[in-house]
Amino acid sequence: MLREFKEFAVRGNVVDMAVGIIVGGAFGTIVQSLVKDMLMPPIGLLLGGVDFSDLFLVLKGDGPYATVAEATADGAVTINYGLFVNNVISFVIVAFAVFLLVKGINRLRRQQAAVSTPPTAPPEEILLLREIRDALRKE
């Protein structure tokens, strides 16, 4: 059983998948930073200085709160729709990047398949029929 697990674990697809998950996790943090630190501040500025990460609705709690952290510290129940907007934007960016990656890989596979596929030889019966045809034409 241990040998079977070892064969499974070192098979190419499993190793590729593990690398993909690790790189995907790292890519996710980069995209999260891109959205939070690079994209949302200018968008918020264009919309009148709105900080999306601090857009929330208080369902239960006392008084007005300036930030989500302040509301959470006071024990208020909130709907954090600004954080949701940030996450949706992050998802769209990741999905678009994955789309571009898959599109590029598919293009490379098509090019490789077109180059590496040699024409197959016709079956022996076809070759024999061609010889007979050519012989009849000569007569």
Side-chain angles (χ1 to χ4, degrees), residues 8-9 13-14 17 21 26 31-32 35 46-47 49 53 59 65 70-71 74 99 121 125 128 137:
F8 170 78
N13 293 340
V14 175
M17 184 179 70
I21 290 170
V31 169
Q32 201 171 33
V35 170
L46 288 173
L47 296 175
S53 63
L59 297 178
Y65 302 104
E70 190 178 302
D74 195 34
F99 167 75
E125 295 87 11
L128 182 60
R137 281 187 182 164

Side-chain angles (χ1 to χ4, degrees), residues 62-91:
D62 297 330
Y65 302 104
T67 65
V68 173
E70 190 178 302
T72 304
D74 195 34
V77 178
T78 61
I79 295 178
N80 305 325
Y81 62 90
L83 293 173
F84 178 75
V85 169
N86 283 353
N87 288 330
V88 168
I89 292 171
S90 293
F91 170 78

Side-chain angles (χ1 to χ4, degrees), residues 19-138:
V19 169
I21 290 170
I22 292 168
V23 170
F27 184 70
T29 58
I30 291 170
V31 169
Q32 201 171 33
S33 176
L34 173 71
V35 170
K36 181 181 174 188
D37 302 327
M38 302 293 285
L39 294 178
M40 296 313 282
I43 291 172
L45 186 63
L46 288 173
L47 296 175
V50 176
D51 181 8
F52 281 88
S53 63
D54 282 328
L55 293 178
F56 62 99
L57 178 66
V58 177
L59 297 178
K60 181 180 176 189
D62 297 330
Y65 302 104
T67 65
V68 173
E70 190 178 302
T72 304
D74 195 34
V77 178
T78 61
I79 295 178
N80 305 325
Y81 62 90
L83 293 173
F84 178 75
V85 169
N86 283 353
N87 288 330
V88 168
I89 292 171
S90 293
F91 170 78
V92 169
I93 291 171
V94 169
F96 185 69
V98 169
F99 167 75
L100 292 177
L101 178 68
V102 169
K103 184 177 176 180
I105 289 172
N106 287 340
R107 185 180 326 125
L108 289 175
R109 284 184 180 167
R110 281 191 301 267
Q111 289 174 352
Q112 184 181 15
V115 170
S116 66
T117 306
T120 58
E124 195 172 317
E125 295 87 11
I126 300 292
L127 293 174
L128 182 60
L129 288 171
R130 286 181 184 169
E131 287 177 21
I132 294 171
R133 179 195 66 198
D134 294 342
L136 288 174
R137 281 187 182 164
K138 287 182 183 180

Side-chain angles (χ1 to χ4, degrees), residues 2 25 114:
L2 185 60

